[in-house]
Amino acid sequence: MRFIILTRKKLILIASCVITSVIAIALSIHNIGVFANKSKSNRKLPIYCVDKQDKVVSLSFDAAWGNEQTQTLLDILKEKDVKSTFFLVGFWAEKYPESVKAIYDAGHDVGNHSNTHPHLPKLSLDKIESEIEECNQKIEKVTSVRPTLFRPPYGDYDNNVVETTNKLNMHCIQWDVDSLDWKDPTPEDMVKRIKNKIKPGSIILMHNGAKNTPEALPKIIDCIKEEGYSIVPISQIIYTENYHMDSQGKQLQS
């Protein structure tokens, strides 16, 4: 059996190596944390909701596939005296210009939902800008008004998407309340979900082509109003200047 005799000098050397290793690991962890925090602080966010004291919310509809129900939704909104926001895909606007005009003439916001509904973070900066601008042109051709609101397809975005939107003097809009109408829940389930999730400044996501949305919409509007909320277009709920965003995508007035 061999014995290792540690002298005082060797013990000091070993202790020094251990301390050096611990410091190196600690510095490495610290640097990772600093990098993560820096990355997080540099993240650009769209508007998910707005900091509001009064009880006001916005209804929004994405239009990309089909058009059988659009006029029904417009009729319901007119009957309930509610203005909302429609985000239109360029090829949809090109295919259904009469509906684009009907939405605009009824006093609703007409927003941009890209030209071809791609996953924008997968595209180059030039392609992202082209997707937004080509849709703007198609909507403006019908309404004579250039959209100022943009919603990324699939809610999919990165810094390039938000920064490109801002560069075009538009506001990038998400939502904080998803009706899940695209999953075809019952109208009652949609009403319950929205009632439980809305708060002052909420933006609600719905779709013009979802199966049960026309049946659910009057009940949703009645429920929102019964809870003491008023409903306005997104252009009237967001701040257009002197604002900042919190880490959760809530827009606050500066």
Side-chain angles (χ1 to χ4, degrees):
M1 180 180 296
R2 298 179 60 187
F3 293 93
I4 299 174
I5 299 174
L6 298 176
T7 66
R8 182 179 179 184
K9 185 176 181 180
K10 288 182 178 179
L11 285 172
I12 293 173
L13 180 62
I14 292 171
S16 177
C17 289
V18 170
I19 292 171
T20 301
S21 298
V22 170
I23 292 173
I25 292 171
L27 286 173
S28 175
I29 292 173
H30 172 73
N31 289 335
I32 291 172
V34 169
F35 178 78
N37 288 334
K38 185 177 180 181
S39 298
K40 186 174 181 180
S41 66
N42 288 337
R43 185 184 178 205
K44 306 298 181 182
L45 292 172
I47 300 170
Y48 280 83
C49 60
V50 184
D51 183 41
K52 291 287 186 180
Q53 299 302 313
D54 51 328
K55 299 184 74 172
V56 58
V57 298
S58 288
L59 278 175
S60 64
F61 300 86
D62 290 357
W65 325 110
N67 192 39
E68 295 79 13
Q69 301 178 153
T70 305
Q71 189 57 52
T72 301
L73 298 177
L74 290 174
D75 291 341
I76 294 168
L77 292 168
K78 180 178 180 180
E79 180 185 346
K80 296 293 184 179
D81 193 25
V82 167
K83 304 300 182 186
S84 65
T85 301
F86 284 78
F87 288 97
L88 313 181
V89 172
F91 63 68
W92 189 94
E94 192 171 40
K95 187 174 182 179
Y96 305 110
E98 71 286 350
S99 291
V100 178
K101 190 174 188 307
I103 292 168
Y104 176 76
D105 287 347
H108 304 289
D109 284 346
V110 182
N112 181 321
H113 197 34
S114 82
N115 191 48
T116 64
H117 208 271
H119 287 278
L120 292 177
K122 296 181 179 180
L123 305 183
S124 67
L125 282 170
D126 287 344
K127 288 289 187 181
I128 293 171
E129 184 169 346
S130 176
E131 277 286 332
I132 300 173
E133 284 288 47
E134 287 182 29
C135 182
N136 277 344
Q137 291 165 11
K138 291 176 180 179
I139 291 173
E140 188 172 8
K141 182 178 179 181
V142 178
T143 65
S144 298
V145 176
R146 185 180 186 275
T148 59
L149 305 174
F150 172 69
R151 173 169 285 163
Y154 311 103
D156 193 10
Y157 69 91
D158 60 8
N159 281 7
N160 286 340
V161 174
V162 178
E163 289 173 349
T164 301
T165 306
N166 293 340
K167 187 183 82 168
L168 296 172
N169 295 316
M170 301 176 72
H171 296 280
C172 196
I173 307 294
Q174 291 282 78
W175 61 87
D176 67 324
V177 180
D178 189 346
S179 69
L180 294 181
D181 59 351
W182 51 279
K183 287 188 173 182
D184 297 336
T186 66
E188 291 71 26
D189 284 343
M190 291 168 64
V191 171
K192 182 178 179 181
R193 178 178 178 80
I194 291 172
K195 178 181 179 180
N196 290 339
K197 289 184 174 292
I198 57 171
K199 58 184 180 293
S202 280
I203 296 174
I204 303 164
L205 171 66
M206 303 183 77
H207 297 80
N208 76 314
K211 177 182 175 182
N212 294 324
T213 298
E215 183 180 349
L217 184 57
K219 300 174 183 179
I220 289 170
I221 292 172
D222 289 344
C223 175
I224 291 173
K225 289 182 175 180
E226 287 168 4
E227 291 296 307
Y229 289 89
S230 57
I231 303 171
V232 300
I234 292 174
S235 63
Q236 295 181 24
I237 203 173
I238 64 172
Y239 303 117
T240 57
E241 56 185 18
N242 300 321
Y243 67 85
H244 62 279
M245 306 293 296
D246 74 6
S247 61
Q248 302 301 312
K250 178 186 284 188
Q251 188 191 38
L252 303 99
Q253 194 159 35
S254 299

XYZ file of all heavy atoms in Angstrom, residues 78-171:
763
model
N -72.753 46.006 -35.697
C -73.588 47.185 -35.924
C -74.787 47.177 -34.984
O -75.129 48.208 -34.373
C -74.067 47.216 -37.371
C -74.941 48.417 -37.702
C -75.354 48.419 -39.170
C -76.232 49.624 -39.488
N -76.647 49.642 -40.918
N -75.416 46.020 -34.853
C -76.594 45.905 -33.970
C -76.228 46.213 -32.522
O -77.004 46.838 -31.789
C -77.164 44.492 -34.075
C -78.380 44.262 -33.193
C -78.849 42.816 -33.234
O -78.405 42.067 -34.130
O -79.652 42.437 -32.361
N -75.050 45.799 -32.113
C -74.602 46.006 -30.729
C -73.884 47.341 -30.534
O -73.450 47.662 -29.429
C -73.660 44.866 -30.310
C -74.311 43.489 -30.272
C -75.349 43.396 -29.176
C -75.925 42.001 -29.072
N -76.944 41.900 -27.981
N -73.755 48.111 -31.620
C -73.111 49.416 -31.577
C -71.679 49.309 -31.037
O -71.278 50.025 -30.122
C -73.921 50.393 -30.719
C -73.464 51.839 -30.906
O -72.900 52.151 -31.970
O -73.660 52.644 -29.977
N -70.923 48.388 -31.640
C -69.541 48.144 -31.221
C -68.606 48.320 -32.416
O -68.885 47.826 -33.507
C -69.378 46.711 -30.647
C -67.904 46.343 -30.509
C -70.079 46.598 -29.303
N -67.506 49.021 -32.199
C -66.454 49.140 -33.202
C -65.284 48.256 -32.775
O -64.902 48.236 -31.602
C -65.981 50.588 -33.341
C -67.091 51.589 -33.654
C -67.798 51.278 -34.965
C -68.857 52.336 -35.256
N -69.677 51.987 -36.452
N -64.716 47.551 -33.746
C -63.635 46.622 -33.435
C -62.477 46.825 -34.409
O -62.413 47.840 -35.112
C -64.147 45.184 -33.503
O -64.540 44.872 -34.835
N -61.584 45.857 -34.449
C -60.420 45.925 -35.333
C -60.310 44.626 -36.122
O -60.364 43.542 -35.533
C -59.129 46.152 -34.519
O -59.249 47.362 -33.773
C -57.918 46.230 -35.434
N -60.168 44.730 -37.439
C -59.988 43.569 -38.303
C -58.565 43.600 -38.861
O -58.160 44.589 -39.481
C -60.988 43.583 -39.457
C -62.387 43.182 -39.064
C -63.217 44.084 -38.407
C -62.876 41.916 -39.363
C -64.510 43.723 -38.051
C -64.165 41.547 -39.017
C -64.996 42.451 -38.361
N -57.823 42.526 -38.657
C -56.487 42.392 -39.231
C -56.589 41.513 -40.475
O -56.947 40.334 -40.395
C -55.524 41.772 -38.221
C -55.160 42.708 -37.091
C -55.830 42.645 -35.879
C -54.158 43.655 -37.258
C -55.506 43.498 -34.842
C -53.822 44.525 -36.224
C -54.498 44.443 -35.015
N -56.266 42.090 -41.631
C -56.486 41.429 -42.909
C -55.172 40.996 -43.558
O -54.208 41.755 -43.614
C -57.212 42.378 -43.874
C -58.432 43.121 -43.324
C -59.036 43.986 -44.426
C -59.458 42.155 -42.756
N -55.157 39.764 -44.056
C -54.027 39.289 -44.851
C -54.165 39.857 -46.263
O -55.275 40.002 -46.784
C -53.995 37.748 -44.876
C -52.950 37.226 -45.864
C -53.695 37.206 -43.482
N -53.048 40.166 -46.896
C -53.069 40.804 -48.205
C -53.825 40.025 -49.263
O -54.640 40.588 -50.007
N -53.579 38.699 -49.331
C -54.277 37.940 -50.373
C -55.771 37.854 -50.094
O -56.575 37.741 -51.012
C -53.661 36.542 -50.563
C -53.729 35.609 -49.373
C -54.922 35.092 -48.904
C -52.563 35.193 -48.743
C -54.982 34.223 -47.831
C -52.600 34.310 -47.674
C -53.813 33.829 -47.210
N -56.166 37.953 -48.823
C -57.593 37.982 -48.457
C -58.200 39.313 -48.915
O -59.282 39.344 -49.502
C -57.749 37.794 -46.952
C -59.163 37.590 -46.482
C -59.796 36.395 -46.270
C -60.123 38.613 -46.147
N -61.087 36.606 -45.827
C -61.310 37.958 -45.749
C -60.098 40.006 -46.152
C -62.454 38.643 -45.360
C -61.235 40.701 -45.770
C -62.402 40.022 -45.375
N -57.511 40.407 -48.625
C -57.996 41.729 -49.024
C -58.127 41.837 -50.536
O -59.061 42.460 -51.057
C -57.053 42.810 -48.491
N -57.179 41.229 -51.241
C -57.211 41.259 -52.697
C -58.368 40.441 -53.248
O -58.993 40.810 -54.251
C -55.885 40.723 -53.237
C -55.656 40.942 -54.707
C -54.242 40.582 -55.118
O -53.717 39.559 -54.618
O -53.655 41.327 -55.923
N -58.697 39.342 -52.571
C -59.763 38.454 -53.030
C -61.138 38.987 -52.663
O -62.120 38.772 -53.390
C -59.561 37.059 -52.424
C -60.522 36.012 -52.966
C -60.168 34.633 -52.422
C -61.095 33.556 -53.005
N -60.742 32.202 -52.495
N -61.237 39.699 -51.529
C -62.548 40.167 -51.054
C -62.541 41.682 -50.830
O -62.781 42.159 -49.706
C -62.928 39.456 -49.757
C -62.906 37.957 -49.840
C -61.929 37.221 -49.158
C -63.855 37.265 -50.590
C -61.908 35.828 -49.223
C -63.843 35.866 -50.665
C -62.857 35.174 -49.984
O -62.835 33.788 -50.050
N -62.306 42.473 -51.844
C -62.239 43.931 -51.662
C -63.554 44.530 -51.163
O -63.545 45.533 -50.441
C -61.887 44.448 -53.061
C -62.323 43.360 -53.996
C -62.086 42.091 -53.255
N -64.683 43.904 -51.536
C -65.971 44.428 -51.074
C -66.102 44.305 -49.555
O -66.713 45.159 -48.890
C -67.134 43.713 -51.782
C -67.372 42.269 -51.388
C -66.343 41.274 -51.931
O -65.525 41.654 -52.791
O -66.371 40.105 -51.492
N -65.523 43.246 -48.987
C -65.558 43.079 -47.529
C -64.603 44.043 -46.838
O -64.896 44.553 -45.752
C -65.218 41.635 -47.146
O -66.238 40.747 -47.548
N -63.466 44.293 -47.465
C -62.532 45.282 -46.920
C -63.224 46.640 -46.834
O -63.149 47.331 -45.809
C -61.272 45.396 -47.804
C -60.331 46.463 -47.246
C -60.552 44.052 -47.893
N -63.914 46.996 -47.896
C -64.621 48.278 -47.920
C -65.748 48.308 -46.897
O -65.972 49.331 -46.229
C -65.181 48.554 -49.313
C -65.731 49.975 -49.490
C -66.131 50.230 -50.929
C -66.481 51.715 -51.144
N -67.493 52.223 -50.197
N -66.459 47.195 -46.753
C -67.559 47.128 -45.782
C -67.039 47.292 -44.356
O -67.659 47.983 -43.530
C -68.303 45.802 -45.931
N -65.906 46.675 -44.064
C -65.303 46.799 -42.733
C -64.920 48.254 -42.473
O -65.227 48.819 -41.422
C -64.059 45.881 -42.618
C -64.481 44.415 -42.640
C -63.276 46.192 -41.334
C -63.322 43.444 -42.822
N -64.262 48.851 -43.446
C -63.805 50.235 -43.294
C -64.988 51.200 -43.208
O -65.020 52.084 -42.342
C -62.907 50.609 -44.462
C -62.462 52.046 -44.437
C -61.469 52.470 -43.557
C -63.051 52.989 -45.291
C -61.060 53.792 -43.523
C -62.645 54.310 -45.264
C -61.659 54.710 -44.383
O -61.273 56.034 -44.338
N -65.972 51.022 -44.091
C -67.127 51.924 -44.107
C -67.944 51.836 -42.823
O -68.623 52.801 -42.454
C -68.027 51.611 -45.308
C -67.415 52.060 -46.637
O -66.421 52.815 -46.607
O -67.925 51.638 -47.696
N -67.866 50.690 -42.137
C -68.614 50.520 -40.883
C -67.909 51.181 -39.705
O -68.450 51.204 -38.591
C -68.825 49.035 -40.600
N -66.711 51.708 -39.940
C -66.005 52.435 -38.882
C -65.060 51.605 -38.044
O -64.593 52.059 -36.991
N -64.744 50.389 -38.502
C -63.812 49.541 -37.765
C -62.382 49.829 -38.208
O -62.140 50.282 -39.331
C -64.141 48.065 -38.005
C -65.542 47.695 -37.669
N -65.996 47.635 -36.365
C -66.606 47.372 -38.458
C -67.285 47.284 -36.357
N -67.672 47.125 -37.621
N -61.423 49.559 -37.315
C -60.021 49.619 -37.710
C -59.757 48.552 -38.765
O -60.234 47.412 -38.644
C -59.109 49.291 -36.515
C -58.975 50.434 -35.522
O -59.367 51.566 -35.862
O -58.478 50.180 -34.409
N -58.981 48.900 -39.765
C -58.516 47.907 -40.738
C -57.010 47.778 -40.559
O -56.250 48.679 -40.917
C -58.853 48.325 -42.179
C -58.385 47.234 -43.152
C -60.358 48.548 -42.334
N -56.584 46.651 -39.971
C -55.181 46.428 -39.691
C -54.543 45.466 -40.680
O -55.220 44.818 -41.487
N -53.248 45.377 -40.604
C -52.418 44.573 -41.507
C -52.042 43.262 -40.813
O -51.595 43.257 -39.668
C -51.162 45.402 -41.844
C -50.216 44.720 -42.800
O -49.990 43.526 -42.753
N -49.617 45.522 -43.668
N -52.203 42.137 -41.539
C -51.869 40.817 -40.981
C -50.865 40.090 -41.880
O -50.852 38.866 -41.921
C -53.163 40.002 -40.816
C -53.043 38.817 -39.901
N -52.231 38.806 -38.791
C -53.647 37.589 -39.949
C -52.351 37.634 -38.186
N -53.184 36.879 -38.868
N -50.054 40.871 -42.604
C -49.043 40.401 -43.562
C -49.689 40.131 -44.921
O -50.918 40.091 -45.044
C -48.308 39.155 -43.074
O -49.059 37.981 -43.326
N -48.862 39.924 -45.922
C -49.378 39.713 -47.274
C -49.742 38.262 -47.556
O -50.763 37.979 -48.183
C -48.356 40.196 -48.302
C -48.935 40.260 -49.694
O -50.031 40.801 -49.890
N -48.227 39.725 -50.670
N -48.911 37.332 -47.057
C -49.148 35.911 -47.374
C -49.243 35.008 -46.151
O -49.291 33.791 -46.280
C -48.031 35.369 -48.290
O -46.779 35.402 -47.588
C -47.917 36.191 -49.573
N -49.254 35.594 -44.943
C -49.383 34.850 -43.685
C -48.233 33.863 -43.447
O -48.446 32.698 -43.098
C -50.723 34.102 -43.648
C -51.243 33.887 -42.245
N -50.917 32.785 -41.490
C -52.070 34.639 -41.480
C -51.527 32.857 -40.319
N -52.232 33.980 -40.280
N -46.978 34.314 -43.574
C -45.842 33.430 -43.305
C -45.383 33.525 -41.847
O -45.880 34.359 -41.081
C -44.761 33.993 -44.222
C -45.024 35.470 -44.158
C -46.525 35.622 -44.064
N -44.445 32.675 -41.473
C -43.753 32.819 -40.189
C -42.652 33.856 -40.394
O -41.570 33.546 -40.907
C -43.164 31.481 -39.739
C -44.192 30.506 -39.268
N -44.726 30.541 -37.988
C -44.790 29.469 -39.907
C -45.607 29.558 -37.860
N -45.670 28.904 -39.003
N -42.907 35.069 -39.995
C -42.008 36.176 -40.318
C -40.579 36.037 -39.767
O -39.624 36.445 -40.445
C -42.617 37.493 -39.851
C -43.881 37.941 -40.604
C -44.418 39.224 -40.001
C -43.587 38.139 -42.086
N -40.380 35.489 -38.561
C -39.003 35.387 -38.057
C -38.093 34.521 -38.933
O -36.867 34.583 -38.800
C -39.178 34.760 -36.663
C -40.537 35.202 -36.234
C -41.345 35.144 -37.502
N -38.664 33.741 -39.829
C -37.863 32.906 -40.723
C -37.403 33.678 -41.968
O -36.622 33.153 -42.769
C -38.662 31.680 -41.158
C -39.025 30.736 -40.013
C -39.791 29.528 -40.526
C -40.131 28.575 -39.384
N -40.885 27.386 -39.867
N -37.904 34.922 -42.116
C -37.606 35.695 -43.316
C -36.515 36.723 -43.069
O -36.228 37.094 -41.925
C -38.872 36.408 -43.801
C -40.107 35.544 -44.066
C -41.235 36.418 -44.601
C -39.789 34.417 -45.043
N -35.928 37.211 -44.148
C -34.938 38.282 -44.057
C -35.643 39.595 -43.734
O -36.876 39.713 -43.851
C -34.193 38.427 -45.388
O -35.082 38.888 -46.401
N -34.863 40.598 -43.351
C -35.429 41.916 -43.052
C -36.190 42.485 -44.253
O -37.287 43.032 -44.096
C -34.321 42.884 -42.632
C -33.797 42.752 -41.203
C -32.549 43.598 -41.031
C -34.853 43.157 -40.189
N -35.609 42.333 -45.433
C -36.265 42.848 -46.636
C -37.592 42.146 -46.888
O -38.586 42.785 -47.284
C -35.352 42.679 -47.850
C -34.196 43.661 -47.849
O -34.268 44.648 -47.085
O -33.229 43.438 -48.594
N -37.629 40.836 -46.669
C -38.853 40.067 -46.890
C -39.934 40.430 -45.865
O -41.127 40.499 -46.197
C -38.557 38.567 -46.818
C -37.769 38.022 -48.003
C -38.626 38.002 -49.258
C -37.919 37.296 -50.397
N -38.727 37.276 -51.643
N -39.517 40.665 -44.630
C -40.472 41.079 -43.592
C -41.115 42.401 -43.991
O -42.346 42.554 -43.950
C -39.778 41.209 -42.218
C -39.311 39.836 -41.718
C -40.722 41.853 -41.192
C -38.429 39.907 -40.480
N -40.278 43.345 -44.375
C -40.798 44.657 -44.776
C -41.705 44.538 -45.995
O -42.757 45.183 -46.063
C -39.648 45.613 -45.068
C -40.102 47.019 -45.409
C -38.962 48.018 -45.444
O -37.865 47.696 -44.953
O -39.174 49.129 -45.975
N -41.330 43.688 -46.933
C -42.138 43.493 -48.134
C -43.503 42.907 -47.787
O -44.534 43.321 -48.342
C -41.399 42.575 -49.113
O -42.197 42.295 -50.243
N -43.527 41.948 -46.862
C -44.789 41.341 -46.438
C -45.743 42.390 -45.869
O -46.944 42.373 -46.145
C -44.526 40.252 -45.394
C -44.137 38.911 -45.955
C -45.315 38.174 -46.575
O -46.463 38.397 -46.150
O -45.078 37.370 -47.494
N -45.208 43.285 -45.078
C -46.045 44.319 -44.459
C -46.466 45.367 -45.483
O -47.648 45.737 -45.574
C -45.296 44.983 -43.279
C -44.955 43.932 -42.210
C -46.143 46.099 -42.667
C -44.073 44.467 -41.080
N -45.527 45.828 -46.265
C -45.823 46.903 -47.212
C -46.769 46.462 -48.329
O -47.652 47.232 -48.746
C -44.521 47.439 -47.814
C -43.736 48.344 -46.872
C -44.385 49.702 -46.677
O -45.612 49.777 -46.441
O -43.661 50.712 -46.763
N -46.622 45.250 -48.819
C -47.513 44.788 -49.884
C -48.949 44.672 -49.389
O -49.894 44.987 -50.119
C -47.021 43.445 -50.436
C -45.774 43.577 -51.299
C -45.320 42.246 -51.879
O -46.172 41.373 -52.105
O -44.100 42.082 -52.098
N -49.116 44.238 -48.144
C -50.468 44.196 -47.572
C -51.008 45.606 -47.383
O -52.182 45.879 -47.677
C -50.447 43.447 -46.241
S -52.067 43.295 -45.465
N -50.163 46.521 -46.899
C -50.587 47.919 -46.750
C -51.122 48.478 -48.068
O -52.157 49.158 -48.111
C -49.412 48.785 -46.283
C -49.205 48.741 -44.785
O -50.088 48.310 -44.045
N -48.041 49.166 -44.338
N -50.408 48.194 -49.134
C -50.795 48.713 -50.445
C -52.148 48.170 -50.897
O -52.973 48.909 -51.467
C -49.709 48.371 -51.464
C -48.408 49.129 -51.247
C -47.239 48.538 -52.020
O -47.429 47.677 -52.886
N -46.025 48.981 -51.711
N -52.394 46.894 -50.636
C -53.667 46.283 -51.044
C -54.842 46.847 -50.246
O -55.929 47.055 -50.790
C -53.583 44.766 -50.903
C -52.637 44.142 -51.912
C -52.472 42.641 -51.701
C -51.509 42.070 -52.742
N -51.289 40.615 -52.564
N -54.612 47.096 -48.966
C -55.676 47.667 -48.135
C -55.900 49.129 -48.513
O -57.043 49.583 -48.649
C -55.322 47.533 -46.639
C -55.371 46.056 -46.220
C -56.271 48.369 -45.778
C -54.873 45.792 -44.816
N -54.813 49.860 -48.692
C -54.932 51.281 -49.043
C -55.596 51.476 -50.402
O -56.299 52.469 -50.625
C -53.551 51.928 -49.038
C -53.581 53.438 -49.194
C -52.222 54.081 -49.001
O -51.214 53.339 -48.886
O -52.163 55.327 -48.960
N -55.407 50.532 -51.295
C -56.030 50.620 -52.617
C -57.552 50.638 -52.507
O -58.245 51.300 -53.289
C -55.584 49.427 -53.468
C -56.141 49.435 -54.892
C -55.624 48.251 -55.683
C -56.194 48.240 -57.101
N -55.706 47.070 -57.891
N -58.089 49.942 -51.509
C -59.544 49.869 -51.322
C -60.055 50.989 -50.428
O -61.100 51.587 -50.696
C -59.941 48.500 -50.725
C -61.444 48.434 -50.476
C -59.500 47.365 -51.648
N -59.329 51.274 -49.347
C -59.822 52.211 -48.332
C -59.271 53.628 -48.487
O -59.790 54.560 -47.860
C -59.449 51.716 -46.921
O -58.019 51.739 -46.783
C -59.954 50.294 -46.698
N -58.199 53.766 -49.249
C -57.475 55.044 -49.387
C -56.804 55.456 -48.087
O -56.392 56.615 -47.919
C -58.424 56.172 -49.850
O -58.954 55.863 -51.130
N -56.681 54.520 -47.145
C -56.032 54.794 -45.862
C -54.978 53.718 -45.605
O -55.252 52.523 -45.730
C -57.056 54.804 -44.705
C -56.347 54.992 -43.370
C -58.094 55.902 -44.918
N -53.807 54.144 -45.228
C -52.717 53.210 -44.928
C -52.871 52.691 -43.498
O -52.999 53.478 -42.564
C -51.368 53.915 -45.078
C -50.160 53.016 -44.898
C -48.886 53.834 -45.078
N -47.690 53.013 -45.054
C -47.055 52.629 -43.945
N -47.526 53.006 -42.761
N -45.972 51.880 -44.011
N -52.847 51.385 -43.287
C -52.966 50.833 -41.925
C -51.833 51.294 -41.013
O -50.701 51.509 -41.471
C -52.893 49.315 -42.155
C -53.341 49.118 -43.559
C -52.811 50.319 -44.309
N -52.142 51.431 -39.749
C -51.124 51.780 -38.752
C -50.942 50.670 -37.727
O -50.086 50.774 -36.844
C -51.519 53.068 -38.009
O -52.786 52.877 -37.356
C -51.623 54.240 -38.972
N -51.753 49.611 -37.840
C -51.688 48.487 -36.900
C -51.263 47.226 -37.645
O -51.745 46.953 -38.745
C -53.046 48.253 -36.234
C -53.690 49.450 -35.526
C -55.088 49.086 -35.040
C -52.823 49.922 -34.363
N -50.374 46.459 -37.038
C -49.903 45.230 -37.658
C -49.924 44.085 -36.643
O -49.452 44.242 -35.512
C -48.477 45.386 -38.190
C -47.872 44.100 -38.676
C -48.345 43.487 -39.825
C -46.834 43.495 -37.977
C -47.804 42.290 -40.271
C -46.280 42.307 -38.417
C -46.772 41.700 -39.560
N -50.481 42.958 -37.044
C -50.446 41.758 -36.202
C -49.677 40.660 -36.931
O -50.055 40.254 -38.034
C -51.853 41.272 -35.857
C -51.856 39.922 -35.113
C -53.224 39.596 -34.553
N -53.511 40.403 -33.379
C -54.737 40.576 -32.872
N -55.782 40.039 -33.478
N -54.905 41.313 -31.790
N -48.589 40.153 -36.343
C -47.806 39.097 -36.989
C -48.613 37.806 -37.126
O -49.341 37.421 -36.194
C -46.626 38.881 -36.031
C -46.582 40.105 -35.174
C -47.996 40.583 -35.067
N -48.519 37.140 -38.267
C -49.201 35.852 -38.433
C -48.764 34.856 -37.359
O -47.584 34.813 -36.993
C -48.740 35.393 -39.817
C -48.371 36.638 -40.533
C -47.815 37.552 -39.484
N -49.715 34.097 -36.868
C -49.478 33.083 -35.828
C -49.021 33.700 -34.502
O -48.635 32.978 -33.581
C -48.427 32.050 -36.273
C -48.659 31.465 -37.635
C -47.909 31.888 -38.734
C -49.650 30.494 -37.840
C -48.122 31.360 -39.999
C -49.868 29.958 -39.101
C -49.106 30.393 -40.182
O -49.324 29.870 -41.436
N -49.029 35.020 -34.405
C -48.472 35.672 -33.218
C -46.977 35.457 -33.113
O -46.384 35.575 -32.037
N -46.323 35.158 -34.238
C -44.919 34.773 -34.284
C -44.061 35.998 -34.617
O -44.212 36.596 -35.681
C -44.742 33.689 -35.350
C -43.404 32.990 -35.276
O -42.679 33.216 -34.291
O -43.090 32.212 -36.200
N -43.156 36.368 -33.729
C -42.358 37.568 -33.937
C -40.978 37.426 -33.302
O -40.737 36.538 -32.479
C -43.067 38.790 -33.326
C -43.109 38.760 -31.811
C -42.098 39.357 -31.058
C -44.132 38.103 -31.138
C -42.112 39.291 -29.668
C -44.155 38.032 -29.751
C -43.153 38.628 -29.020
O -43.164 38.558 -27.653
N -40.085 38.304 -33.698
C -38.788 38.473 -33.051
C -38.436 39.954 -33.129
O -39.271 40.771 -33.545
C -37.717 37.580 -33.690
C -37.494 37.882 -35.171
O -38.062 38.889 -35.679
O -36.756 37.133 -35.825
N -37.237 40.316 -32.715
C -36.854 41.728 -32.734
C -36.958 42.332 -34.129
O -37.367 43.485 -34.293
C -35.423 41.901 -32.212
C -35.358 41.856 -30.699
O -36.343 41.564 -30.036
N -34.194 42.140 -30.148
N -36.579 41.553 -35.154
C -36.638 42.072 -36.519
C -38.057 42.451 -36.922
O -38.282 43.459 -37.593
C -36.094 41.033 -37.507
C -34.583 40.909 -37.438
O -33.899 41.793 -36.951
N -34.064 39.785 -37.907
N -39.030 41.634 -36.515
C -40.427 41.902 -36.857
C -40.914 43.177 -36.170
O -41.515 44.052 -36.806
C -41.325 40.707 -36.465
C -42.798 41.046 -36.688
C -40.944 39.463 -37.268
N -40.646 43.291 -34.874
C -41.109 44.465 -34.125
C -40.404 45.727 -34.625
O -41.038 46.770 -34.826
C -40.876 44.275 -32.618
C -41.312 45.528 -31.845
C -41.642 43.057 -32.100
N -39.096 45.648 -34.832
C -38.347 46.824 -35.270
C -38.746 47.258 -36.680
O -38.818 48.455 -36.966
C -36.849 46.527 -35.202
C -36.328 46.446 -33.768
C -34.888 45.983 -33.686
O -34.350 45.527 -34.718
O -34.302 46.082 -32.589
N -39.015 46.290 -37.560
C -39.460 46.644 -38.910
C -40.822 47.321 -38.869
O -41.070 48.310 -39.576
C -39.528 45.393 -39.803
O -38.231 44.790 -39.868
C -39.978 45.748 -41.214
N -41.716 46.802 -38.040
C -43.036 47.418 -37.872
C -42.894 48.859 -37.401
O -43.522 49.774 -37.938
C -43.880 46.622 -36.869
O -43.945 45.254 -37.273
C -45.290 47.176 -36.789
N -42.068 49.053 -36.388
C -41.864 50.399 -35.857
C -41.255 51.322 -36.909
O -41.617 52.499 -37.004
C -40.955 50.345 -34.627
C -41.603 49.630 -33.453
O -42.827 49.489 -33.399
N -40.799 49.162 -32.525
N -40.326 50.790 -37.706
C -39.677 51.598 -38.744
C -40.687 52.103 -39.769
O -40.538 53.188 -40.334
C -38.599 50.769 -39.444
C -37.754 51.564 -40.427
C -36.755 50.688 -41.155
C -37.416 49.974 -42.314
N -36.430 49.327 -43.219
N -41.747 51.316 -39.969
C -42.791 51.685 -40.922
C -43.872 52.555 -40.279
O -44.933 52.767 -40.856
C -43.420 50.417 -41.516
C -42.473 49.551 -42.357
C -43.145 48.226 -42.729
C -42.045 50.295 -43.613
N -43.575 53.053 -39.072
C -44.517 53.911 -38.322
C -45.835 53.196 -38.056
O -46.919 53.785 -38.170
C -44.758 55.223 -39.074
C -43.507 56.070 -39.182
O -42.776 56.226 -38.210
N -43.246 56.610 -40.362
N -45.715 51.917 -37.691
C -46.890 51.121 -37.345
C -46.696 50.539 -35.948
O -45.584 50.482 -35.433
C -47.083 50.001 -38.370
C -47.274 50.485 -39.797
S -47.373 49.128 -40.986
C -49.013 48.455 -40.588
N -47.800 50.100 -35.346
C -47.750 49.475 -34.026
C -47.954 47.969 -34.170
O -48.891 47.516 -34.834
C -48.832 50.049 -33.114
C -48.659 51.509 -32.817
N -47.782 51.985 -31.865
C -49.235 52.605 -33.373
C -47.828 53.299 -31.839
N -48.708 53.705 -32.742
